Amino acid sequence: MRILTATGALLAVLAFSSAALADKPGYFVAPHVGVLVPQLATELDSSVVFGLELGYVVPVDMGGFVRPLGFEFDVMGTLPGASGGGTSEQLGEDGGTYDYDVRVTMVILELTASWRFDITDIVGVYVQAGPRAYFIQTTVDASSGTADFGRRTQGDNAFGGVFAVGGDLTLGPGAVFLAAEYAGSDLKTRLAGDANTGALAFDLGYRIRF
């Protein structure tokens, strides 16, 4: 019973200190990890995304909302891929089968603005949007039976946008957050032709305010 009481008191102190900090402007840093789900627009498999967000909260008071306006710069990295096979009439006189393996190295930079709405002193929701840049290297290995077609590599850059909705729980010097986002851009590649970087993503992280 004493342990539960002490734990509750500690959480209350952490929440109170964070709520008090939320009334002031300041910078924050947010390491986060999530999953990229590109199957809506491409044949790539899901992959883990690691990111680091830096931001600043502007002291704007609109109808009692607690410092709702933020600006963020986020750097992310992920390694989606895909593998499979098919048939082609160009392989031999009667056609043939082939296998392929695609690996993508993707670095993402984004600059966003967010608008936060407080539900309670320690719980809030927010929307976030802004431009995004993709720096992509695609590597394709292909073969047919014992014939190796070799490896092809291509680098591409693309520019698009991102829209996200999320929620956070204030705890300690910052807040735990969970967000869902959709982002994408057109992409013209020599290996795959016209493509798209469109994907859903789900992020979990912690914003440390200072």
Side-chain angles (χ1 to χ4, degrees), residues 187-208:
L187 181 64
K188 296 183 181 299
T189 71
R190 186 175 66 254
L191 292 177
D194 291 346
N196 194 299
T197 60
L200 287 171
F202 301 93
D203 272 335
L204 176 66
Y206 186 75
R207 290 192 180 96
I208 305 169

Side-chain angles (χ1 to χ4, degrees), residues 94-109:
D94 300 322
T97 62
Y98 63 88
D99 299 298
Y100 65 86
D101 185 73
V102 179
R103 290 293 174 261
V104 179
T105 300
M106 186 180 297
V107 176
I108 303 168
L109 305 180

Side-chain angles (χ1 to χ4, degrees), residues 64-114:
F65 296 135
V66 179
R67 59 178 206 169
L69 185 60
F71 297 94
E72 303 86 23
F73 175 71
D74 206 345
V75 180
M76 291 161 283
T78 186
L79 300 169
S83 59
T87 60
S88 174
E89 296 180 355
Q90 298 179 0
L91 298 174
E93 296 181 358
D94 300 322
T97 62
Y98 63 88
D99 299 298
Y100 65 86
D101 185 73
V102 179
R103 290 293 174 261
V104 179
T105 300
M106 186 180 297
V107 176
I108 303 168
L109 305 180
E110 68 179 33
L111 184 63
T112 56
S114 62

Side-chain angles (χ1 to χ4, degrees), residues 83-170:
S83 59
T87 60
S88 174
E89 296 180 355
Q90 298 179 0
L91 298 174
E93 296 181 358
D94 300 322
T97 62
Y98 63 88
D99 299 298
Y100 65 86
D101 185 73
V102 179
R103 290 293 174 261
V104 179
T105 300
M106 186 180 297
V107 176
I108 303 168
L109 305 180
E110 68 179 33
L111 184 63
T112 56
S114 62
W115 191 253
R116 186 175 185 276
F117 303 86
D118 291 320
I119 297 177
T120 70
D121 288 342
I122 62 172
V123 176
V125 296
Y126 63 90
V127 294
Q128 188 178 40
R132 170 180 278 198
Y134 296 86
F135 302 92
I136 302 168
Q137 179 173 290
T138 304
T139 301
V140 180
D141 294 294
S143 62
S144 177
T146 59
D148 188 350
F149 297 153
R151 172 171 292 182
R152 301 290 184 270
T153 301
Q154 178 180 341
D156 299 286
N157 301 328
F159 298 91
V162 58
F163 176 79
V165 294
D168 57 37
L169 172 66
T170 302

